[in-house]
Amino acid sequence: MDRSEHASAGRDHSVSSGTTTPRTISYQSAGVDIDAGDRAVEALKPSIKKTVRPEVVGGIGGFAGLFALDTEKYKKPLLASSTDGVGTKLVIAQKLDIHDTVGIDLVAMVVDDLVVCGAEPLFLLDYIATGQVVPEKIADIGAGIADGCRYAGCALIGGEIAEHPGVMKPDDYDISATGVGVVEADQLLGPERVKPGDVAIAMRASGVHSNGFSLVREALFNVGKVDLSTVVPEFGNQRTLGEELMTPTHIYAKDCLELAKECDVHAFAHITGGGLAGNLVRSVPEGLQIEVDRGTWTPNPVFDFVQRTGGIGAEEMERTFNMGVGMVAIVAPDQVDRSLAVLTARHVEAWTIGEVTEGDGRVKLSGDYLTAG
């Protein structure tokens, strides 16, 4: 697994002119520390090994990650792929100097897009870019990515650590990942399977997840002037704003796969940027619509806090945030009770939020959210 931009560093060069003393420069003097990169790779190895699946070929250190797809297991396999990042939630992580959970967010953004079509996540490759490689920080980020892969059941088989001095500040970093999954062609999920009378089942979000943080930061820090160390009573247990915002995104991959295995699931929708309506509509076929009742759930307290503090309109909130719903399953009407039982057994809070009817291909939200208490 190629883990460092430093591998292609080449040789140092000396430049001289006439009789002046030669000035020797190096990659390190230019801002790239090859040794630090190597130490970061070594620090990541124990975490990566915990994600290994039987199909992984070879170890860490190659130019490419290898994965042996079991061609006898599938009749007509379709490979699914997805790429994503964490966005400006990383600004919060950097302010708090907490880096061991954003990797979970990263994996969630990738694998939960894969599972929407019914694909089992197989493996993931990550990319970490930073202004300065600090091995301990990279190890924390990598440990979070590895944790996410374990929760999703996929292997972390490759990655890259890139040091970008002069482009990024020393403490800044960005992360992204690409995942690959597989699904049998005849088990592919999507709007083509959705029928009138189907029921939409919501799965509770763990919080803001990893979308809309530019609006979160504008509302809380620029408008509201709130500090991350502020204890917010609505969050309970003396929980600070920083702790709430850094709550890792729930990974639904295994929950969805188990649900699809046990019940007649027709489609999933991963609720990310664009909100509930903006993502659920991608699972609606032409000629149908989904009617969603807001009165079936109470959004997580963090959404009300962000809205009140920033003075954000209700429509803007709904088009930006998940409002407490992280994933939606669309199931056959006779599968509702069984589906809820499967999710409850997996400790996922779930409830029915709406129904598929004849319509114009839209998602229609009605009613008012339930209030806490």
Side-chain angles (χ1 to χ4, degrees), residues 44-53 59-60 146 150 156:
L44 285 172
K45 286 183 178 180
S47 296
I48 295 170
K49 287 180 179 178
K50 294 177 182 179
T51 74
V52 172
R53 290 175 48 129
I60 302 167
R150 288 192 296 106
L156 180 58

Side-chain angles (χ1 to χ4, degrees), residues 4-352:
S4 179
E5 183 233 16
H6 312 86
S8 58
R11 299 175 181 272
D12 296 341
H13 298 279
S14 297
V15 180
S16 61
S17 176
T19 59
T20 57
T21 303
R23 184 171 66 89
T24 301
I25 64 171
S26 67
Y27 212 0
Q28 184 168 2
S29 72
V32 177
D33 189 338
I34 296 173
D35 293 334
D38 291 340
R39 292 196 300 274
V41 174
E42 288 300 314
L44 285 172
K45 286 183 178 180
S47 296
I48 295 170
K49 287 180 179 178
K50 294 177 182 179
T51 74
V52 172
R53 290 175 48 129
E55 303 98 325
V56 175
V57 178
I60 302 167
F63 286 93
L66 300 175
F67 190 96
L69 182 65
D70 186 352
T71 55
E72 295 184 0
K73 180 179 178 181
Y74 305 95
K75 296 178 181 178
K76 223 176 173 182
L78 295 176
L79 293 180
S81 62
S82 177
T83 296
D84 213 333
V86 177
T88 61
K89 185 171 185 174
L90 295 179
V91 175
I92 310 297
Q94 290 160 13
K95 284 180 178 293
L96 294 172
D97 196 24
I98 297 174
H99 314 286
D100 58 351
T101 59
V102 290
I104 299 174
D105 293 297
L106 177 63
V107 176
M109 292 298 98
V110 174
V111 300
D112 286 343
D113 276 355
L114 290 176
V115 79
V116 162
C117 68
E120 175 191 359
L122 296 177
F123 60 85
L124 183 136
L125 300 97
D126 63 32
Y127 179 82
I128 304 173
T130 182
Q132 180 180 1
V133 171
V134 178
E136 295 78 12
K137 183 186 292 186
I138 298 298
D140 281 347
I141 298 169
I145 296 173
D147 284 343
C149 286
R150 288 192 296 106
Y151 302 155
C154 65
L156 180 58
I157 68 167
E160 175 80 359
I161 302 170
E163 196 164 22
H164 292 168
V167 177
M168 305 176 74
K169 295 178 182 178
D171 290 336
D172 288 347
Y173 64 87
D174 197 10
I175 57 178
S176 63
T178 297
V180 173
V182 63
V183 58
E184 282 282 14
D186 62 0
Q187 296 175 13
L188 186 67
L189 304 180
E192 298 78 11
R193 288 178 175 253
V194 176
K195 303 173 183 177
D198 283 353
V199 176
I201 295 177
M203 301 178 215
R204 171 68 69 178
S206 54
V208 181
H209 285 183
S210 299
N211 299 101
F213 270 85
S214 293
L215 182 55
V216 167
R217 293 184 297 111
E218 177 68 19
L220 299 183
F221 310 139
N222 294 341
V223 176
K225 309 298 182 183
V226 185
D227 192 89
L228 286 168
S229 62
T230 300
V231 174
V232 181
E234 302 98 289
F235 299 162
N237 298 320
Q238 293 294 301
R239 191 170 174 82
T240 67
L241 176 60
E243 290 172 331
E244 178 64 31
L245 294 179
M246 286 301 295
T247 301
T249 305
H250 183 85
I251 294 176
Y252 299 94
K254 286 187 174 181
D255 305 319
C256 291
L257 290 173
E258 184 66 19
L259 187 62
K261 177 183 175 182
E262 297 292 333
C263 305
D264 184 13
V265 177
H266 293 164
F268 288 113
H270 185 198
I271 312 306
T272 55
L276 181 59
N279 287 281
L280 189 53
V281 73
R282 297 155 75 176
S283 298
V284 181
E286 186 176 348
L288 301 181
Q289 66 182 19
I290 298 183
E291 299 179 5
V292 173
D293 181 7
R294 296 186 186 92
T296 58
W297 82 96
T298 302
N300 303 39
V302 65
F303 297 111
D304 180 61
F305 183 77
V306 170
Q307 183 174 9
R308 285 188 290 105
T309 304
I312 305 171
E315 183 178 349
E316 188 66 19
M317 289 293 295
E318 288 189 334
R319 64 182 289 187
T320 304
F321 302 112
N322 65 58
M323 300 304 291
V325 178
M327 181 74 76
V328 175
I330 300 175
V331 306
D334 63 350
Q335 297 288 294
V336 173
D337 290 344
R338 183 169 177 79
S339 296
L340 292 173
V342 169
L343 292 171
T344 298
R346 296 190 59 81
H347 308 289
V348 176
E349 182 184 349
W351 65 98
T352 59

